[in-house]
Amino acid sequence: MIVLGIDTSCDDTSMSIIKDRKVLSTNIFSQIVHSKYGGVVPELASRDHIKNIVPVMRKTLDDAKMELKQLDGIGVTYGPGLVGSLLIGLCFTKSLSYSRRIPFIGINHIEGHVFSLFIEKEIETPFIVLIVSGGHTELILIKEPGSYEILGSTLDDAAGEAFDKVAGLLGLPYPGGPEIEELSKTGNRDAINFPRANVPGYDFSFSGLKTAVLYYLKDHRPQTIDHRQDIAASFQEAVCDSLIEKVVKASEDKEIPRIGIAGGVSANERLREKLKEIGEKKEIDVSFPEKEFCTDNGAMIALCASYYLERGISSPYDLKAESQARLGC
Ligand code: KG4
Ligand code: ZN
């Protein structure tokens, strides 16, 4: 089955074509217009998607040496995300589907991130998955594809949002995660003991940590680059510890020795390294998507869509964009 996957949930216009679960082509147009504002400006994001959606589709088809008529299905993110951005991808997909008589299915963006763990890999369930992105921090028990139990989520900021905000405090551009990771490489992660939130159960909280960095900066204006590196590395370590504690707890409590971490923050090398170490010690199998499929991409949407389309499940034309779409709804 040949499937085109489209994601326009935030500021990237992402598309991919997969054939029988193999990725043939993948393209992402990342909007740079937002970096000077320190975050995504929704209206600008929608306008850029309109400009980019046709060229990105043409390139994705060309790279895969495919024509539209060869597609067996299209998957598109219908939520959660910025509603204006979602609408561009969804309306575009519906027009394409209707005019070319190709079935389409609306995909939940979080479920898409779950499927990024299965790109060119076998699906093994049950499975504990942590989605850590700019908008979400969700700990999920995957009973089987399509059957999910949310174990916990963030009570305030998402993990990626915390990276972006602390990067802003350190004068680094958006998105902040890769910038903090880079700065941390030469920093001392034990230099400052930032707090790890003590939240019961499987929930997370990052606003206290963010405030701790803010107050630390007020009290000690970093004079040198070394000092900023130490702050970045100590902050990154605190986020990694908080994430790892809950995901390992869920794996142990539920007696499921399989953990996956996906979403933009899962590209973080320190998080990957720490989790691998703990996985080896506790005999838990740990997996991550390939780096290119950690952040938003079309391949995860195409793979998730092909899973449903292969089972004869598609969406009606009155499917709406849902900025707050929840998993399993
Ligand atoms: O999954 P994603 O592309 O978009 C959303 O669905 O939100 O995640 C983007 C988020 C941003 O907050 C970005 O700062 C963070 O992922 N991120 C990282 C890294 N790469 C991206 N955070 C930490 N370390 C990274 N290497
Ligand atoms: Zn995402």
Side-chain angles (χ1 to χ4, degrees):
M1 178 176 258
I2 300 171
V3 177
L4 170 67
I6 302 177
D7 184 87
T8 61
S9 58
C10 192
D11 57 338
D12 294 331
T13 315
S14 313
M15 292 199 203
S16 184
I17 291 177
I18 62 163
K19 182 180 181 189
D20 302 331
R21 315 184 119 246
K22 287 244 171 326
V23 179
L24 298 187
S25 64
T26 189
N27 281 294
I28 299 178
F29 184 92
S30 290
Q31 303 177 2
I32 42 168
V33 58
H34 309 283
S35 60
K36 61 175 178 274
Y37 299 103
V40 177
V41 182
E43 176 64 26
L44 297 180
S46 312
R47 285 168 191 259
D48 251 24
H49 283 308
I50 292 174
K51 269 198 282 185
N52 299 325
I53 201 155
V54 172
V56 173
M57 182 192 72
R58 290 235 165 91
K59 178 152 186 0
T60 307
L61 284 165
D62 288 350
D63 289 352
K65 300 187 176 40
M66 288 274 162
E67 291 180 43
L68 271 178
K69 61 177 185 236
Q70 291 172 273
L71 296 180
D72 299 305
I74 310 170
V76 62
T77 303
Y78 75 94
L82 298 172
V83 76
S85 293
L86 291 165
L87 274 170
I88 311 298
L90 187 57
C91 293
F92 177 79
T93 302
K94 285 181 187 174
S95 320
L96 203 58
S97 160
Y98 189 75
S99 57
R100 298 290 178 140
R101 307 251 179 281
I102 307 167
F104 88 98
I105 180 159
I107 299 296
N108 180 300
H109 183 77
I110 304 293
E111 188 174 14
H113 275 300
V114 170
F115 270 78
S116 69
L117 287 155
F118 306 134
I119 293 174
E120 300 184 1
K121 290 179 198 150
E122 282 308 307
I123 300 179
E124 213 185 329
T125 52
F127 198 42
I128 301 286
V129 173
L130 176 65
I131 304 295
V132 268
S133 70
H136 304 274
T137 308
E138 310 264 4
L139 188 56
I140 309 165
L141 164 57
I142 318 284
K143 295 171 189 163
E144 57 184 82
S147 175
Y148 308 106
E149 182 185 338
I150 306 287
L151 300 175
S153 48
T154 180
L155 303 177
D156 38 57
D157 293 344
E161 196 181 351
F163 270 100
D164 295 336
K165 287 180 177 169
V166 167
L169 296 176
L170 289 169
L172 300 166
Y174 174 86
E179 301 282 337
I180 296 229
E181 177 170 10
E182 194 50 39
L183 199 60
S184 298
K185 280 184 187 152
T186 38
N188 173 6
R189 51 186 175 248
D190 301 319
I192 308 144
N193 188 19
F194 285 128
R196 277 75 170 149
N198 186 11
V199 186
Y202 300 116
D203 287 332
F204 303 85
S205 167
F206 296 103
S207 70
L209 171 60
K210 180 190 67 192
T211 311
V213 177
L214 178 70
Y215 281 115
Y216 182 88
L217 284 170
K218 277 195 175 148
D219 292 344
H220 315 78
R221 282 276 13 130
Q223 301 298 331
T224 62
I225 180 73
D226 289 357
H227 193 187
R228 286 170 74 229
Q229 289 162 352
D230 289 350
I231 297 168
S234 302
F235 161 77
Q236 178 175 270
E237 199 67 8
V239 176
C240 292
D241 286 346
S242 306
L243 294 174
I244 290 171
E245 185 208 331
K246 295 294 167 94
V247 73
V248 170
K249 175 176 159 52
S251 162
E252 290 182 331
D253 290 354
K254 306 279 173 197
E255 297 179 8
I256 299 175
R258 274 179 300 283
I259 289 176
I261 303 212
V265 180
S266 70
N268 187 283
E269 270 306 329
R270 180 66 187 143
L271 179 64
R272 293 165 94 102
E273 173 189 75
K274 279 197 96 163
L275 204 67
K276 270 187 223 152
E277 272 170 25
I278 292 185
E280 272 164 30
K281 212 187 297 167
K282 294 188 175 271
E283 296 187 0
I284 299 172
D285 186 52
V286 175
S287 50
F288 303 91
E290 295 296 324
K291 282 272 179 83
E292 65 173 321
F293 300 125
C294 287
T295 44
D296 292 349
N297 64 86
M300 66 187 197
I301 303 300
L303 185 66
C304 186
S306 77
Y307 181 85
Y308 288 110
L309 291 166
E310 275 166 10
R311 286 158 180 76
I313 302 167
S314 60
S315 292
Y317 284 109
D318 62 358
L319 178 73
K320 295 194 174 39
E322 275 184 56
S323 61
Q324 306 285 336
R326 295 188 43 214
L327 198 60
C329 298

